Amino acid sequence: MKKQFFIANWKSHKNVSEAKEWLSEFSILNSQPSTHKEAILCPPFPLLPLCHTFIQQHHLPLSLGSQTISSYPEGAYTGEVSARLLKDFVNYTLIGHSERRKFFHETDEDIAQKAMLARSHQISPVLLLNDKNAAIPKGVDIVIYEPPSAISSDKGIHPESPEDVDTVAAFLKQKSSVIYVLYGGSVTPENVQEYTRLSSIDGVIVGGESLKPDSFASIIQHA
Ligand code: PGA
């Protein structure tokens, strides 16, 4: 059975008590580890220690990722969170999300730097692409194809067609050394299977629907 990834991107939602509530509920709904499905929670930075402790104490089948990572190493970079600091908490980091490119003006050079720093601290970079011809930095094994127009909070819900995504995923695997290609954009428990049943799609990233533990658990179950 092929490996599948399910990434919950909380963006800048949830405070401490809401995160605790989500984790408690999710631990009841999704307590069984699976050998071929990996769920990765990407909460905001201040919630990483809390989520890390909860996951360990309750043996939750959940990995942790950050939503971004500094493109600078540890040093005099006020406000930045470096790879060295993150590696105590996460196995993955998202890089290149379209919201980071749009609102924080991240460039392809910044993103390549982030991939390199993550890798050198044993954190797997998960690169978001909104264009199938975009550059993929060295050392990236997992990419997510996510057209900004498909994001639920962007212009309304119009996910990309599963067949188009599968074609892009096959193309990306052929032209690069990427191993896994995921899809992102308005994924729900109702439509997840239309994507994950296709041969080149290896999972999904979920924004809005990941804020409800029952929806995220049901996306994992229905895939
Ligand atoms: P969405 O967000 O699932 O709410 O469309 C996905 C994302 O932006 O990563």
Side-chain angles (χ1 to χ4, degrees), residues 56-74:
Q56 298 234 309
Q57 282 176 349
H58 296 79
H59 307 289
L60 263 191
L62 204 50
S63 303
L64 272 183
S66 53
Q67 297 173 13
T68 184
I69 191 166
S70 182
S71 53
Y72 291 86
E74 179 178 344

Side-chain angles (χ1 to χ4, degrees), residues 30 35 178:
N30 199 65
T35 47
V178 155

